Amino acid sequence: MLKSKTFLKKTRAGGVMKIVREHYLRDDIGCGAPGCAACGGAHEGPALEPQPQDPASSLCPQPHYLLPDTNVLLHQIDVLEDPAIRNVIVLQTVLQEVRNRSAPVYKRIRDVTNNQEKHFYTFTNEHHRETYVEQEQGENANDRNDRAIRVAAKWYNEHLKKMSADNHLQVIFITNDRKNKEKAVEEGIPAFTCEEYVKSLTANPELIDRLACLSEEVNEIESGKIIFSEHLPLSKLQQGIKSGTYLQGTFRASRENYLEATVWIHGDNEENKEIILQGLKHLNRAVHEDIVAVELLPKSQWVAPSSVVLQDEGQNEEDVEKEEERERMLKTAVSEKMLKPTGRVVGIIKRNWRPYCGMLSKSDIKESRRHLFTPADKRIPRIRIETRQASALEGRRIIVAIDGWPRNSRYPNGHFVRNLGDVGEKETETEVLLLEHDVPHQPFSQAVLSFLPKMPWSITEKDMKNREDLRHLCICSVDPPGCTDIDDALHCRELENGNLEVGVHIADVSHFIRPGNALDQESARRGTTVYLCEKRIDMVPELLSSNLCSLKCDVDRLAFSCIWEMNHNAEILKTKFTKSVINSKASLTYAEAQLRIDSANMNDDITTSLRGLNKLAKILKKRRIEKGALTLSSPEVRFHMDSETHDPIDLQTKELRETNSMVEEFMLLANISVAKKIHEEFSEHALLRKHPAPPPSNYEILVKAARSRNLEIKTDTAKSLAESLDRAESPTFPYLNTLLRILATRCMMQAVYFCSGMDNDFHHYGLASPIYTHFTSPIRRYADVIVHRLLAVAVGADSTYPELTDKHKLADICKNLNFRHKMAQYAQRASVAFHTQLFFKSKGIVSEEAYILFVRKNAIVVLIPKYGLEGTVFFEEKDKPNPRLIYDDEIPSLKIEDTVFHVFDKVKVKIMLDSSNLQHQKIRMSLVEPQATGF
């Protein structure tokens, strides 16, 4: 049966276009119940169980299927994902609405419907002759969809009666919409709210904890006192943003101070790019990463970013007076130039809540079901949840979701999602840091793995098309020890004309990952490989990352080669890009390569090639630095693990050799050469990487710190910064230069991927290069896969596809890559922090020399060179008399009684693992020398 749908669409030119769509109705769509005589049991995909036994419900004792409406799917997905909930009918109407309203929930529901053990069945009610409903006159789309869901529920109950005379199967309609439920009951449909149904499952009391708490009303735990001002409705916010009364931006909470946040304003508002918010009432229930509307306060109310470190440690949620006292601490007399545009949140444009990992802070009230949950991420407020299993969850890492934040509640309301395991256990903590940094880490699905080459794999004649055979060249790779995902290999040889041929050969990953398939989509979603201390979360399956794409020695591998002809002064005379097949003659570590270069006895082809590369790399580096490239520093640590327990037994900073620099120089050169080529060919569609110059204010801390040592740091250009850093030496304090470079690194902006057609500024500040991209690591970075595809089209080695030349699609890819790249960095740092805790747990209390990196109002931040470890020494302790502190932001310095601390001062600190707060076990540092009086 054919129906036609007609609707009007406005064109870009302002005209109106009539669109007619054909809508087919069928009567051969199965209900999903096996053995159904009425429809012959026809169904696609996972089916319902013939006689569902679980879960036992006191409201509905006979066997039944569940049919939830859209809001239940959107808000109670945690309940539906629970193993106890099976045999659920998901209507096409509901699925379409969920898809339009929440991509993450839509993905989760698709995953559940694909899980055969759950018996979720998708019923295409919109194409079934007996369940399709037309929108009636005067009926809005929402009411029409509600009616369509009720019609389907009623049809199911009548349809199932036809299965057999003694069949007692029912379909229970689950809705939290009061009116919809009343109408369903009137129409003879068994209907319950989600809460009613879940509470009726007497054998599964733990499910109650997973119910989303959707009531915004005052409940008995609260005093009813209004703490926050009302959020304005979206229509008013949009009007205000349009008129300029309000500004729209992303809310970024502070890790160091729970009473402070900044809002990064969207658009080209150069005047107020960043707005500071201080105090609970001005934060007004915004949560980290929410999109908010802010009102700028009058200049007389502007404040300076606080230097106080404040953690929310209150157990009593009614202590709002205490909060106000703490807020007064934030406000100190500062010079006018320190004041920043200040505002308050007037409304929420989009909530960006996610499930949060953390721990339960059990209530002091005996038998209480209400408890506070403390997230692992200090930027997220505590969340109030109801649970009956508080005792079992103590000392465990759990996941909690936020449901809402009423005006009269100090904290948001939420619900328990799942238990991850014991705090401090390696597997649990690794899972926490991956979840907290949104790192996709589930095993690759069968759909993804189906696109891998079949083993045993070998290079075919077809593979050799448009490819050069370079297996005769003396190519080798140089990597860190234990590296199995070898992206790059190098060669250098003298040509007959006396010039040098240098080649950078990169794994040809794009040969194996074809555009648009499931493997490509998953690699694009992951964006990058994430390296943790003991674990690698691959971007591509292991068959590619550690085998077929890894340029291991003595095996034929497909590569993409960038080959230059150079003179002995490292000047490029010719550049060639070609797909190739190579056979690496050696897989070396940095140390092994260095030994070969330094050894007078070794003169074989590999060593000669390495020496040639090293000589040219030194010239290239010198030339780069002359142009103004920065040599910065960050303390990187390496753990030595116990081979049996896999616990860290030693911790030291990484040693960098000449060969590290050698490889880096040629990777940079290849990336620059490829960037120029793809931009020449695709001026609008090249994927490039830029590093913006920091605003002058970023350098204040570096300039002040250097000035305190009578040194001048110039920051007007990258070249002047590089030169002044080179000059900033102290014969009596050799480590000072490293400290300045570490501080300079903190002043930098984040480098980002972008699409050339969407930006005018291509410059890479840190490398002093007018253009740059990433080409050299396609096994572990998806950006490089796109760059390989662009280059392959540019040199005629592969065909193009529509998305490759769609700059909006490319901009979206870049946005995801920038996010994934940033999260990977944070996850790596969190992994180092956790392993550092494990190291000091076994080591006990240690005293070490340290240098002050920053001074705060009530603390100093120090760096311990031996371990590459950074930490904070607090000078105010709970329940102890506070010393007299005088903070001077201009110098900067902190005076404690009679002792003055400046940036870069050498101190001695005691390091120990503080496990007193299981929520956040941390390395605690206390001052040993100099001894501050009164502390």
Side-chain angles (χ1 to χ4, degrees):
M1 183 177 165
L2 178 66
K3 291 224 171 216
S4 63
K5 282 182 171 180
T6 307
F7 57 95
L8 303 174
K9 187 182 178 185
K10 204 170 182 182
T11 65
R12 278 187 180 173
V16 174
M17 188 162 62
K18 187 177 180 181
I19 294 175
V20 179
R21 284 221 179 120
E22 291 180 339
H23 190 85
Y24 288 90
L25 298 180
R26 296 162 48 183
D27 44 22
D28 60 346
I29 296 169
C31 68
C36 171
C39 60
H43 58 261
E44 293 169 21
L48 303 159
E49 287 179 295
Q51 284 295 317
Q53 298 305 314
D54 294 327
S57 164
S58 58
L59 282 174
C60 184
Q62 64 265 50
H64 58 272
Y65 301 136
L66 299 178
L67 192 150
D69 74 359
T70 308
N71 283 323
V72 170
L73 240 69
L74 282 168
H75 302 299
Q76 306 292 355
I77 182 70
D78 291 320
V79 170
L80 295 170
E81 283 177 332
D82 192 280
I85 302 293
R86 305 210 310 267
N87 294 293
V88 174
I89 297 160
V90 181
L91 297 180
Q92 180 189 4
T93 309
V94 170
L95 207 52
Q96 282 170 347
E97 280 197 284
V98 169
R99 186 179 193 169
N100 293 335
R101 286 169 62 183
S102 172
V105 174
Y106 179 73
K107 187 191 179 301
R108 285 168 71 180
I109 205 70
R110 294 303 302 176
D111 289 346
V112 174
T113 50
N114 290 332
N115 178 352
Q116 306 235 349
E117 291 171 13
K118 291 280 285 173
H119 298 282
F120 273 50
Y121 180 67
T122 307
F123 178 61
T124 46
N125 63 308
E126 294 288 356
H127 289 280
H128 194 291
R129 192 197 298 268
E130 293 180 45
T131 57
Y132 172 72
V133 302
E134 295 223 27
Q135 191 167 342
E136 293 172 355
Q137 209 171 355
E139 184 179 45
N140 65 32
N142 199 36
D143 289 344
R144 179 261 167 207
N145 288 346
D146 283 350
R147 188 163 57 86
I149 295 166
R150 292 197 306 277
V151 165
K154 188 167 187 175
W155 175 84
Y156 252 106
N157 277 306
E158 288 167 0
H159 177 80
L160 291 176
K161 281 176 191 166
K162 297 174 191 171
M163 274 179 67
S164 65
D166 57 346
N167 177 45
H168 300 297
L169 255 177
Q170 269 193 320
V171 169
I172 307 289
F173 177 40
I174 305 292
T175 178
N176 288 333
D177 183 323
R178 191 168 48 84
K179 280 186 183 167
N180 206 7
K181 185 187 165 201
E182 283 168 6
K183 282 182 183 172
V185 172
E186 277 170 29
E187 291 165 21
I189 303 163
F192 302 109
T193 66
C194 194
E195 190 171 345
E196 285 168 345
Y197 181 75
V198 166
K199 285 183 175 174
S200 80
L201 306 178
T202 46
N204 302 88
E206 75 288 345
L207 256 181
I208 298 169
D209 289 356
R210 301 190 77 173
L211 275 169
C213 162
L214 298 172
S215 167
E216 290 264 320
E217 292 162 17
V218 179
N219 39 40
E220 62 272 21
I221 194 165
E222 292 156 0
S223 61
K225 182 182 172 187
I226 300 295
I227 303 169
F228 300 102
S229 57
E230 202 169 346
H231 287 151
L232 297 179
L234 199 56
S235 55
K236 278 196 176 170
L237 297 178
Q238 284 164 340
Q239 276 175 352
I241 289 162
K242 209 172 179 182
S243 67
T245 313
Y246 307 135
L247 297 166
Q248 177 178 323
T250 305
F251 181 88
R252 300 269 164 83
S254 162
R255 282 177 203 277
E256 292 192 330
N257 187 339
Y258 75 101
L259 293 173
E260 188 167 281
T262 48
V263 173
W264 289 78
I265 300 304
H266 301 169
D268 304 321
N269 192 319
E270 286 306 316
E271 194 184 337
N272 299 315
K273 200 73 194 146
E274 193 183 324
I275 289 175
I276 193 165
L277 312 175
Q278 269 187 10
L280 268 188
K281 288 177 180 164
H282 286 171
L283 302 181
N284 197 5
R285 297 172 287 155
V287 176
H288 185 64
E289 293 294 345
D290 282 349
I291 309 297
V292 298
V294 290
E295 179 182 48
L296 208 56
L297 296 174
K299 279 197 174 179
S300 59
Q301 292 179 38
W302 285 14
V303 297
S306 162
S307 302
V308 178
V309 179
L310 279 184
Q311 305 297 341
D312 180 9
E313 287 167 355
Q315 183 52 274
N316 180 3
E317 52 193 289
E318 300 311 319
D319 267 355
V320 179
E321 283 76 18
K322 214 171 238 183
E323 306 286 5
E324 287 167 4
E325 197 181 301
R326 299 188 93 176
E327 282 174 26
R328 282 193 286 276
M329 274 179 71
L330 306 180
K331 296 175 176 46
T332 43
V334 285
S335 64
E336 205 165 304
K337 69 175 197 308
M338 296 292 291
L339 299 175
K340 293 270 185 336
T342 307
R344 68 182 187 97
V345 170
V346 290
I348 308 292
I349 291 160
K350 183 173 181 278
R351 287 290 193 191
N352 277 324
W353 295 340
R354 59 179 174 82
Y356 300 104
C357 299
M359 293 185 70
L360 200 67
S361 303
K362 201 169 163 229
S363 169
D364 296 336
I365 304 163
K366 217 178 169 194
E367 302 300 314
S368 174
R369 286 180 185 173
R370 292 206 169 106
H371 308 272
L372 281 176
F373 161 83
T374 305
D377 185 341
K378 290 183 181 174
R379 295 169 301 188
I380 306 299
R382 289 170 157 207
I383 302 162
R384 199 179 54 205
I385 68 166
E386 281 195 40
T387 176
R388 289 150 182 75
Q389 36 182 340
S391 299
L393 295 177
E394 255 193 309
R396 321 270 293 185
R397 290 282 190 193
I398 62 172
I399 296 179
V400 161
I402 297 180
D403 301 321
W405 195 340
R407 290 175 61 196
N408 52 358
S409 173
R410 167 67 183 83
Y411 297 110
N413 294 327
H415 67 272
F416 167 76
V417 176
R418 69 186 168 103
N419 183 347
L420 293 171
D422 287 334
V423 68
E425 281 201 356
K426 219 178 295 183
E427 291 73 21
T428 305
E429 296 301 332
T430 301
E431 176 78 358
V432 167
L433 73 88
L434 290 171
L435 288 167
E436 277 301 290
H437 296 100
D438 199 7
V439 174
H441 59 286
Q442 292 73 25
F444 289 99
S445 69
Q446 280 310 119
V448 169
L449 298 174
S450 69
F451 286 96
L452 292 174
K454 303 291 171 274
M455 296 302 282
W457 174 84
S458 60
I459 296 168
T460 64
E461 206 173 304
K462 190 183 167 195
D463 295 335
M464 290 304 294
K465 198 183 167 200
N466 299 325
R467 200 176 284 279
E468 250 181 83
D469 192 339
L470 303 179
R471 285 175 282 200
H472 60 287
L473 291 177
C474 185
I475 293 169
C476 69
S477 62
V478 184
D479 289 284
C483 179
T484 59
D485 52 345
I486 303 171
D487 281 295
D488 54 89
L490 301 153
H491 88 273
C492 175
R493 63 173 180 164
E494 195 156 335
L495 298 171
E496 286 175 5
N497 63 9
N499 288 331
L500 297 168
E501 180 188 83
V502 175
V504 165
H505 311 275
I506 306 299
D508 188 5
V509 178
S510 65
H511 173 85
F512 296 96
I513 301 180
R514 303 311 295 164
N517 68 23
L519 175 57
D520 181 45
Q521 287 171 4
E522 182 61 19
S523 307
R525 186 173 82 92
R526 294 185 177 218
T528 178
T529 291
V530 181
Y531 295 89
L532 306 180
C533 292
E534 273 189 281
K535 194 176 188 173
R536 190 178 81 200
I537 314 294
D538 281 328
M539 181 184 85
V540 298
E542 197 178 10
L543 179 65
L544 296 183
S545 66
S546 296
N547 189 350
L548 303 185
C549 291
S550 186
L551 305 182
K552 301 189 285 191
C553 60
D554 303 323
V555 285
D556 292 350
R557 287 289 177 260
L558 301 179
F560 210 147
S561 301
C562 172
I563 299 167
W564 303 279
E565 186 178 328
M566 291 183 176
N567 60 24
H568 286 263
N569 196 28
E571 288 160 337
I572 298 170
L573 308 171
K574 284 182 196 165
T575 306
K576 179 172 82 171
F577 304 102
T578 178
K579 289 226 173 187
S580 61
V581 57
I582 66 166
N583 187 302
S584 169
K585 304 299 181 271
S587 298
L588 306 171
T589 65
Y590 290 118
E592 287 166 349
Q594 195 67 53
L595 279 172
R596 280 175 176 265
I597 290 167
D598 297 341
S599 169
N601 311 328
M602 297 190 81
N603 292 297
D604 57 283
D605 287 351
I606 293 168
T607 307
T608 306
S609 176
L610 287 168
R611 285 188 187 130
L613 290 164
N614 198 38
K615 191 179 162 194
L616 291 168
K618 286 178 180 175
I619 300 167
L620 287 168
K621 186 171 185 176
K622 186 170 179 282
R623 198 173 292 149
R624 256 191 338 104
I625 288 167
E626 280 166 5
K627 276 188 187 169
L630 297 172
T631 310
L632 300 177
S633 180
S634 61
E636 284 195 73
V637 296
R638 190 173 193 89
F639 293 94
H640 292 266
M641 301 292 185
D642 184 294
S643 57
E644 290 192 10
T645 64
H646 296 286
D647 285 338
I649 47 176
D650 196 11
L651 172 63
Q652 62 192 52
T653 47
K654 285 183 185 174
E655 187 188 341
L656 294 177
R657 296 177 172 83
E658 247 183 27
T659 43
N660 290 72
S661 180
M662 174 190 84
V663 173
E664 185 188 8
E665 283 310 314
F666 286 107
M667 296 306 116
L668 294 174
L669 192 63
N671 286 336
I672 292 167
S673 297
V674 170
K676 288 175 183 170
K677 179 70 179 173
I678 61 172
H679 185 245
E680 273 168 28
E681 293 290 328
F682 303 99
S683 60
E684 292 283 296
H685 313 113
L687 190 154
L688 302 175
R689 187 163 175 81
K690 67 171 182 174
H691 182 215
S697 59
N698 277 32
Y699 287 124
E700 275 177 18
I701 194 150
L702 173 68
V703 172
K704 283 179 186 175
R707 198 186 298 138
S708 71
R709 298 278 160 176
N710 297 319
L711 295 167
E712 187 187 14
I713 298 287
K714 291 189 172 173
T715 60
D716 45 333
T717 64
K719 189 170 169 59
S720 59
L721 173 63
E723 285 171 352
S724 52
L725 282 170
D726 287 342
R727 285 195 301 269
E729 298 280 0
S730 167
T732 57
F733 188 180
Y735 196 64
L736 176 65
N737 192 263
T738 306
L739 288 169
L740 283 165
R741 289 180 195 277
I742 289 169
L743 220 48
T745 308
R746 306 292 169 89
C747 302
M748 293 299 134
M749 305 290 281
Q750 186 87 34
V752 288
Y753 297 111
F754 69 101
C755 169
S756 59
M758 308 285 273
D759 210 318
N760 302 320
D761 176 22
F762 293 9
H763 192 75
H764 196 293
Y765 180 80
L767 298 172
S769 176
I771 193 166
Y772 192 66
T773 194
H774 272 160
F775 163 75
T776 55
S777 293
I779 295 176
R780 58 188 179 87
R781 290 189 305 232
Y782 188 75
D784 305 51
V785 175
I786 296 285
V787 168
H788 275 229
R789 289 175 182 168
L790 289 163
L791 186 63
V793 175
V795 300
D798 206 343
S799 52
T800 187
Y801 59 99
E803 280 81 7
L804 196 63
T805 51
D806 181 334
K807 62 183 182 182
H808 297 285
K809 287 259 170 69
L810 204 56
D812 286 342
I813 288 171
C814 290
K815 189 179 175 185
N816 179 56
L817 293 178
N818 291 329
F819 171 72
R820 295 291 181 206
H821 196 74
K822 184 170 71 176
M823 288 297 118
Q825 283 180 317
Y826 291 160
Q828 283 152 356
R829 284 179 206 162
S831 180
V832 168
F834 173 63
H835 280 78
T836 305
Q837 288 177 14
L838 288 181
F839 172 70
F840 284 106
K841 192 175 183 177
S842 59
K843 208 156 175 63
I845 299 174
V846 178
S847 287
E848 287 296 341
E849 280 184 351
Y851 293 98
I852 298 175
L853 274 185
F854 307 101
V855 291
R856 303 276 189 243
K857 270 187 192 171
N858 59 345
I860 55 173
V861 179
V862 299
L863 174 75
I864 298 157
K866 181 178 176 182
Y867 299 126
L869 180 66
E870 203 177 295
T872 307
V873 178
F874 289 95
F875 293 113
E876 288 177 333
E877 287 190 36
K878 246 205 263 175
D879 310 322
K880 287 194 181 174
N882 288 335
R884 189 164 48 90
L885 305 175
I886 300 168
Y887 171 70
D888 186 334
D889 182 63
E890 282 302 308
I891 298 178
S893 69
L894 179 66
K895 188 177 183 183
I896 301 159
E897 299 295 341
D898 302 323
T899 313
V900 183
F901 294 93
H902 298 93
V903 175
F904 303 146
D905 279 358
K906 191 178 188 177
V907 293
K908 194 169 189 179
V909 294
K910 190 164 70 178
I911 315 158
M912 60 177 281
L913 180 68
D914 178 4
S915 304
S916 61
N917 179 356
L918 271 180
Q919 305 287 357
H920 293 110
Q921 289 193 45
K922 58 188 172 211
I923 301 294
R924 189 175 282 284
M925 295 188 185
S926 53
L927 198 64
V928 177
E929 286 172 19
Q931 287 187 339
T933 341
F935 179 69

